[in-house]
Amino acid sequence: MNDWLTATAGPAVLVTVARVEGSSPRATGTKMLVTARSQLDTIGGGHLELKAVEIARGMLARADASVQYERFPLGPSLGQCCGGVVWLAFEPVDAELAQVLEALRTRRRDDSVRIAAVDGKPACALFDAAGGRIGGSADVAFVATAQAGLHADASGRRWLVDPILAPRAHVLLFGAGHVGAAIVRALAELPCSVTWVDERDDMFPARVPDNVTVEVTDTPATLVAAAPPGASYLVMTHSHALDQRLCEAILAREQVGWFGLIGSKTKRAQFESRMAARGIDPVRIATMVCPIGLPGIIDKAPPVIAASVAAQLLIVWQAQAAALPQPIQEN
């Protein structure tokens, strides 16, 4: 996820989907980084991306220091069946933009707003969600309150207000066994952050994906209470007794986005009976997903379970996102 933030050596051009009308391969704000020999991330593939890479590499070959902003009708000019129109901003990565990109690499879990000129000489800046400047020198008064999209300053120069948001989906994964490790790998490139929990330090790999935080603790239930509202929970520890304690802690808190317990229908029935005996509301117990994974996928190999659970979570997260108020984009 966010391969365009990968540090590169040598000249590069940042390509951003600045505006969209109608159907398009990717949404506004999508980016890729183009160098003379490589391409990091994608704006959707097809003829649009081919043309964008050609333009970016042409800029690099000419050592063009100016920002370019171009309109691409996908059907008439590029033969793509999407049929919409896409506007792309091409920004040479100068010292200032390189500083902003470096700052973004350290802020993957925080919301940021980038502002960038789409006319003339490159100029940009990076702000936190409250409007505090983090980097860059561009100074445009509306940046702290402007909606995403293009805006003109008093001189008529156009600026792209480009929110770069941290993933809204957060997963607490309890258990560092084979299935837990496979799920972490499956979630590595997805738009989420993961807190991976186990009391056994030696169970975690030496390196984990950028979107993963490891928590080694003997009191994992305390992390349930500290989780952000709407988080997703996956319980798959080495101990059924610990699984049950975690399930009870999850069902006891408010604003649970989704909750899955690894196991069979028999395990579910046992846990339901025990939790009902403890006085837990049957309506809350019914929200527990067990078995986990998409229906019809019965292979028990950890990578298969992981792929199925990752797909299940994506369906849940997209439904949750669709239910939220949608931000207004100005063009």
Side-chain angles (χ1 to χ4, degrees):
M1 188 176 64
N2 289 350
D3 288 347
W4 60 273
L5 280 175
T6 304
T8 60
V13 172
L14 180 65
V15 182
T16 303
V17 178
R19 180 181 172 188
V20 165
E21 284 185 1
S23 178
S24 65
R26 297 290 302 274
T28 302
T30 302
K31 297 173 181 63
M32 68 179 180
L33 192 68
V34 179
T35 72
R37 295 175 178 249
S38 66
Q39 172 191 334
L40 298 165
D41 238 317
T42 174
I43 58 168
H47 200 183
L48 174 66
E49 185 162 296
L50 177 65
K51 290 292 294 183
V53 171
E54 288 177 353
I55 291 169
R57 288 187 174 147
M59 293 171 63
L60 293 171
R62 298 188 304 272
D64 191 339
S66 297
V67 178
Q68 293 192 35
Y69 181 64
E70 298 203 21
R71 177 181 183 272
F72 297 87
L74 299 180
S77 66
L78 299 178
Q80 293 191 206
C81 59
C82 297
V85 182
V86 174
W87 285 258
L88 299 180
F90 297 82
E91 299 171 68
V93 181
D94 59 6
E96 186 169 69
L97 180 51
Q99 177 200 41
V100 165
L101 294 176
E102 179 58 34
L104 283 168
R105 291 182 196 109
T106 69
R107 292 180 55 81
R108 294 175 187 265
R109 298 198 178 191
D110 298 293
D111 289 349
S112 306
V113 178
R114 190 178 73 98
I115 180 170
V118 298
D119 300 310
K121 183 180 178 181
C124 66
L126 186 69
F127 299 83
D128 63 23
R133 185 182 296 273
I134 297 168
S137 62
D139 188 13
V140 181
F142 58 70
V143 67
T145 57
Q147 296 285 352
L150 288 180
H151 302 263
D153 63 19
S155 70
R157 191 179 191 190
R158 293 175 300 174
W159 298 84
L160 173 64
V161 176
D162 181 24
I164 300 170
L165 305 181
R168 291 317 193 236
H170 186 87
V171 182
L172 274 79
L173 172 56
F174 295 93
H178 294 297
V179 175
I183 289 175
V184 164
R185 293 192 295 270
L187 297 177
E189 298 295 326
L190 300 184
C192 65
S193 58
V194 180
T195 301
W196 194 10
V197 187
D198 204 298
E199 72 269 29
R200 302 165 296 172
D201 190 20
D202 60 345
M203 291 295 293
F204 294 103
R207 296 184 63 183
V208 297
D210 290 339
N211 66 337
V212 174
T213 299
V214 166
E215 289 281 356
V216 181
T217 176
D218 292 326
T219 57
T222 60
L223 296 175
V224 173
S232 301
Y233 300 83
L234 278 165
V235 175
M236 50 186 66
T237 78
H238 61 290
S239 163
H240 277 207
L242 177 56
D243 281 355
Q244 184 170 334
R245 291 197 297 273
L246 288 168
C247 290
E248 292 174 3
I250 293 165
L251 293 176
R253 70 156 291 171
E254 299 297 327
Q255 295 181 294
V256 173
W258 183 86
F259 162 38
L261 168 69
I262 197 168
S264 62
K265 292 180 180 179
T266 300
K267 181 177 179 179
R268 180 189 182 99
Q270 291 175 347
F271 274 49
E272 285 181 336
S273 176
R274 293 170 187 167
M275 288 189 288
R278 290 177 177 268
I280 298 175
D281 186 349
V283 174
R284 297 301 303 271
I285 295 174
T287 65
M288 179 179 71
V289 177
C290 179
I292 55 175
L294 295 180
I297 299 178
I298 60 174
D299 193 319
K300 303 301 183 185
V304 176
I305 296 174
S308 180
V309 170
Q312 186 175 35
L313 285 170
L314 281 173
I315 292 170
V316 169
W317 295 337
Q318 290 190 15
Q320 292 170 346
L324 295 174
Q326 298 302 303
I328 298 171
Q329 180 169 305
E330 298 181 1
N331 293 308

